[in-house]
Amino acid sequence: MAIRSLLIANRGEIAVRIVRAAQSLGIRAVQAHSAADAESLAVRMADDSVLIGPPPAAKSYLNIEAIIAAAKEKGVDAIHPGYGFLAENADFAQAVVDAGMIFVGPDAAAIRLLGDKVAARKVAKEAGVPTVPGSDGRVADMDEARALVEEIGFPVMIKAAAGGGGRGIRIVDSFAEFEKQFPQAASEAAAAFGDGGLYIEKVITKARHVEVQILGDGTDVIHCFERECSLQRRRQKVWEEAPAFGLSPDIREKLTASAVALGKQVGYKGAGTVEYLYDGDTHDFYFIEVNTRIQVEHPVTEMITGIDLVAEMIQIAGGAPLSIRQEDVAIHGHAIECRINAEDPAANFMPNPGTVDRLVVPAAEGTRFDTMLYEGYTVPPFYDSLLGKMIVHAPDRASAIARMGEALSKLEIGGIKTTVPLHAALAQNADVRAGRFDTKWLEPWLAGNPLRPETTKAEHAL
Ligand code: ADP
Ligand code: ADP
Ligand code: MG
């Protein structure tokens, strides 16, 4: 069934992005919103909107009953979950289908299987994809865990099977530490994710985070190459690129083929991301997880391939086959995305909601700003602090970094503190420019207080 109307069950910049994609396809966009988001850009842009509850996400964007009721009231054909919130909730995907509508994403069974990070490791192994050395399944108790750790050696990570968003991960490097952390991790995971299941992975030191975008229509699965997301703070991505730099054609072929194999193993439908850790010295890569949804950093892939991933996932959900063949997907140039948050990077990333009294967005060649902001908008304090993403595209990596520096210097967001100065400093940094970083580079660099007013000047002079 072709989709004629779509409810967007999300907020912020991704809601704006989905409204835009729906409208470009001639689909009526209905924005679901909490009471705090009545004045949001997505609500203003959408063809219609519907209130789903009070500000706290638990009562609105995470409220399955309220969202289904709103969708029925508006008579929409389909629901797009965006990322975060209910995007990887199998019960929600099922509830949408049970209510006679289309869920824009994989079916509930695939979400359940791949969303469980332990079950996903098993699927990866079955598809011949290398995984990080670690437990075969959930570790039942301390005895089992101890035996495994003796085998793989410290440091290890204790990870929550249901974790996500950089949460539910602990590094331990001794048995004493392990015995203390393991029970704590279990109770914390139970409280945070409603599932106390844990598994263990060896810590891959000096790893880069490289991930492959896949698209499936239930019959075929293709890849849209890879992204590099190693610049992370608290295991959350800060700056992303496509393609990953320095991959040989042979490694790129192996990496992307493994992601496609994994997708085919489950008959994947929709847009998904297979995440890996990549050792730039040995060229080994290890599967870590699958995200069964659109990702924050999807625009860098769109820029280098020319594919509209959000439109594609909506059309697939409506029953259309993939509109692109694998041989037609190619890498053109280099793209970078900087996540711009309402946080003060000079004050330990303190959240900084408030009213945007001035907004100037550069309109330049190869420059795209995906945002929820408009001049006069008040950023509510209830949700995560992502305001938008500056995305640039250029013929090569060096010119993309230069273009990013230029775009950030022309971007003006007045009235609130944002992470723009952090990104401006990164764009000037010699290690970033040379691609000399891994997932552990950013935090120690930040600990050196690079954004203190006096050093900021010196950095810029370099
Ligand atoms: P991406 O690669 O798209 O950035 P993230 O893991 O950073 O993926 O998650 C995207 C969004 O979803 C973020 O806002 C993150 O906080 C949220 N998120 C992801 N998984 C969970 C989870 N299990 N619980 C709560 N929030 C999550
Ligand atoms: P989430 O579900 O929260 O996104 P991931 O398993 O994708 O969790 O891991 C998030 C980040 O944590 C990775 O990008 C990487 O920086 C780090 N990480 C995860 N597993 C390992 C590992 N085994 N060794 C080293 N770093 C890891
Ligand atoms: Mg991840």
Side-chain angles (χ1 to χ4, degrees):
M1 184 185 80
I3 297 170
R4 286 154 308 169
S5 56
L6 178 73
L7 184 90
I8 295 104
N10 211 298
R11 64 177 306 282
E13 67 83 25
I14 194 65
V16 173
R17 174 73 187 86
I18 299 164
V19 168
R20 224 189 278 284
Q23 290 174 340
S24 77
L25 294 168
I27 294 171
R28 189 177 154 74
V30 182
Q31 180 60 48
H33 68 89
S34 73
D37 283 335
E39 295 298 322
S40 73
L41 183 59
V43 167
R44 292 187 170 195
M45 284 174 55
D47 300 288
D48 193 4
S49 63
V50 55
L51 180 70
I52 50 169
K59 299 206 159 120
S60 49
Y61 299 106
L62 290 169
N63 184 343
I64 296 180
E65 264 173 49
I67 294 168
I68 300 283
K72 281 185 173 164
E73 180 198 322
K74 292 293 176 182
V76 297
D77 300 325
I79 300 184
H80 196 306
Y83 55 68
F85 296 122
L86 296 171
E88 293 179 272
N89 184 311
D91 292 339
F92 179 58
Q94 192 58 51
V96 173
V97 172
D98 291 346
M101 293 171 286
I102 294 169
F103 176 78
V104 181
D107 57 34
I111 297 175
R112 199 161 274 132
L113 182 64
L114 297 175
D116 179 326
K117 295 170 84 173
V118 173
R121 270 169 66 83
K122 193 156 169 272
V123 175
K125 281 183 193 160
E126 285 162 6
V129 179
T131 55
V132 180
S135 53
D136 274 333
R138 295 170 181 234
V139 245
D141 53 38
M142 281 294 290
D143 288 340
E144 194 188 322
R146 203 177 290 111
L148 181 75
V149 172
E150 267 164 16
E151 198 185 304
I152 61 176
F154 287 108
V156 296
M157 272 185 175
I158 305 173
K159 293 175 118 178
R167 301 181 312 142
I169 297 179
R170 290 164 190 245
I171 300 181
V172 291
D173 47 22
S174 70
F175 280 109
E177 203 42 33
F178 191 84
E179 289 182 7
K180 203 171 99 200
Q181 298 270 352
F182 191 82
Q184 279 178 16
S187 52
E188 217 177 83
F193 312 113
D195 174 357
L198 300 177
Y199 66 111
I200 290 168
E201 270 180 11
K202 189 171 179 58
V203 173
I204 306 293
T205 42
K206 300 241 169 163
R208 281 163 55 190
H209 176 117
V210 176
E211 58 183 36
V212 178
Q213 176 71 53
I214 59 168
L215 278 175
D217 60 9
T219 307
D220 198 12
V221 177
I222 63 169
H223 70 81
C224 305
F225 295 101
E226 78 288 341
R227 297 183 283 260
E228 151 73 58
C229 315
S230 301
L231 291 175
Q232 302 180 353
R233 178 174 171 268
R234 296 188 172 167
R235 297 190 190 96
Q236 281 189 337
K237 300 154 190 166
V238 167
W239 158 307
E240 300 107 336
E241 308 186 14
F245 45 87
L247 288 196
S248 68
D250 175 49
I251 297 295
R252 172 166 292 129
E253 168 60 30
K254 285 193 177 118
L255 182 75
T256 52
S258 84
V260 168
L262 196 158
K264 285 189 170 160
Q265 184 83 10
V266 297
Y268 197 83
K269 205 176 149 201
T273 297
V274 186
E275 296 189 333
Y276 300 85
L277 293 174
Y278 173 68
D279 181 327
D281 296 332
T282 65
H283 306 296
D284 290 321
F285 56 84
Y286 309 90
F287 166 88
I288 45 173
E289 67 158 343
V290 182
N291 290 146
T292 56
R293 54 170 164 88
I294 193 74
Q295 273 188 299
V296 175
E297 60 275 22
H298 74 277
V300 289
T301 298
E302 297 186 324
M303 300 302 262
I304 62 158
T305 62
I307 298 168
D308 183 331
L309 291 168
V310 181
E312 194 67 21
M313 73 191 290
I314 295 171
Q315 285 173 303
I316 290 167
L322 285 167
S323 73
I324 334 116
R325 290 173 308 173
Q326 184 67 71
E327 55 268 35
D328 297 330
V329 185
I331 299 176
H332 300 281
H334 196 91
I336 301 175
E337 168 183 286
C338 292
R339 296 194 189 193
I340 297 174
N341 293 343
E343 294 168 355
D344 182 358
N348 201 25
F349 294 85
M350 181 138 47
N352 204 265
T355 300
V356 175
D357 59 19
R358 180 172 163 78
L359 179 66
V360 180
V361 179
E365 167 91 22
T367 301
R368 161 177 168 185
F369 189 49
D370 279 21
T371 189
M372 67 188 296
L373 297 181
Y374 57 83
E375 213 168 79
Y377 176 67
T378 299
V379 180
F382 308 103
Y383 311 105
D384 87 28
S385 56
L386 185 67
L387 300 171
K389 302 164 324 198
M390 181 58 82
I391 303 133
V392 298
H393 184 213
D396 53 58
R397 185 169 187 268
S399 43
I401 295 175
R403 187 161 279 178
M404 179 59 83
E406 182 69 14
L408 293 171
S409 74
K410 301 240 161 76
L411 174 68
E412 293 179 45
I413 303 174
I416 55 173
K417 295 224 165 69
T418 75
T419 52
V420 167
L422 162 68
H423 291 296
L426 287 174
Q428 300 290 334
N429 182 277
D431 286 344
V432 171
R433 289 180 168 207
R436 265 191 315 261
F437 56 78
D438 56 28
T439 57
K440 298 200 181 60
W441 184 87
L442 184 62
E443 287 190 359
W445 179 74
L446 284 168
N449 255 330
L451 302 175
R452 268 195 323 256
E454 61 277 26
T455 50
T456 307
K457 270 204 194 105
E459 284 261 346
H460 279 266
L462 287 176

